Amino acid sequence: PDDEVVVIGHSMGAITASEVAVRQSARRPVALVLVSPAFLLKAGADLQPPTPPKPHRGLSLGSVLSLRLLRAIVAAFLQAPGVVYSRTFWEKGLDGAAYKRTQLGEERFAAQVLRYRWPSLFRGWSVGLANFVVARLADGASEDLGALRRLLSAKGSGTLRVLIVTGSEDKVISASLTKRLQSMLECEMVVLEGVGHVAHEEEPAKFSEVVAKFVRGKCVAIA
């Protein structure tokens, strides 16, 4: 449809993208593309809301103190020499988790490393990341489950279409977890061969082709 909104989210950004898509779907048609989505799902998680709904319970004092200690440890580790402030840290991390260095070529790989490394050079970045990690550990699974339940409900209304795009070489989000998510959402999924966790950066032409076909309502299978 001409008034359809396209929303795209990658990795943990897929969670935010899902929430945006759900809200927009109440006003207009939405096409949602989730790229290697990183939802935290516990084993046996059910997208059907419990009846009656379970009340939200706050953290105990012991849990709060443990999380604060964990935050301090994570922040100290991230600020240690040779960790996130070093180029080597990002080169090894991206080479192992996201990209195939030989496939990208040295010049393109170096440019990607620099883009990812830039935020870590700002003062306080490590503390911010530590806060984020602790927040995800504290209540990330239940928050993600709630987001998925809202997404499934909105999808059932007929105004929201969902596509999952992932890479066959994704080492960050396992293929089994992505397949499980596809089954839960009952949506289309495309696996790009030889691609890792960031399909839109590794194979932008193929990724754009897939998204364009999905937006136009065509079959998204890759020949």
Side-chain angles (χ1 to χ4, degrees), residues 36-125:
S36 295
F39 288 89
L40 289 177
L41 289 176
K42 293 181 178 180
D46 185 2
L47 290 192
Q48 297 303 318
T51 306
K54 294 182 179 179
H56 180 76
R57 296 180 179 178
L59 296 174
S60 66
L61 178 59
S63 296
V64 171
L65 294 176
S66 297
L67 289 171
R68 286 187 175 181
L69 176 60
L70 177 61
R71 180 181 62 182
I73 294 173
V74 172
F77 169 75
L78 293 174
Q79 294 178 79
V83 189
V84 296
Y85 295 115
S86 74
R87 181 185 297 273
T88 302
F89 171 85
W90 291 102
E91 287 178 342
K92 290 182 178 180
L94 292 173
D95 188 28
Y99 304 106
K100 284 189 174 180
R101 188 170 186 167
T102 54
Q103 183 175 325
L104 285 182
E106 286 300 319
E107 183 176 348
R108 189 179 168 198
F109 179 76
Q112 292 299 94
V113 168
L114 182 59
R115 292 188 184 101
Y116 276 87
R117 189 183 175 215
W118 269 336
S120 70
L121 301 180
F122 285 86
R123 182 181 300 173
W125 182 86

Side-chain angles (χ1 to χ4, degrees), residues 29-30 33 39 44 77 84 93 96-97 100 115 119 148 158 164 201-202 210:
V30 177
V33 181
F39 288 89
F77 169 75
V84 296
K100 284 189 174 180
R115 292 188 184 101
L148 285 173
I164 294 176
E201 295 180 3
E202 295 173 81
V210 169

Side-chain angles (χ1 to χ4, degrees), residues 8-15 17 33-38 116 165 170 196-201:
I8 303 176
H10 168 250
S11 196
M12 282 185 284
I15 304 166
V33 181
L34 304 177
V35 188
S36 295
Y116 276 87
V165 181
D170 191 339
H197 186 61
V198 281
H200 52 291
E201 295 180 3

Side-chain angles (χ1 to χ4, degrees), residues 7 11 13 18 36 43 74 76 79 84-85 92 102 104 136 139-140 159 162 168 185 191 194 202 212 219-220:
V7 182
S11 196
S18 296
S36 295
V74 172
Q79 294 178 79
V84 296
Y85 295 115
K92 290 182 178 180
T102 54
L104 285 182
R136 291 290 290 165
D139 205 28
T159 59
V162 182
S168 63
L185 293 176
V191 179
E202 295 173 81
C219 175
V220 294

Side-chain angles (χ1 to χ4, degrees), residues 133-150:
V133 170
V134 170
R136 291 290 290 165
L137 291 174
D139 205 28
S142 62
E143 289 182 352
D144 289 6
L145 184 59
L148 285 173
R149 283 172 175 167
R150 290 187 288 275

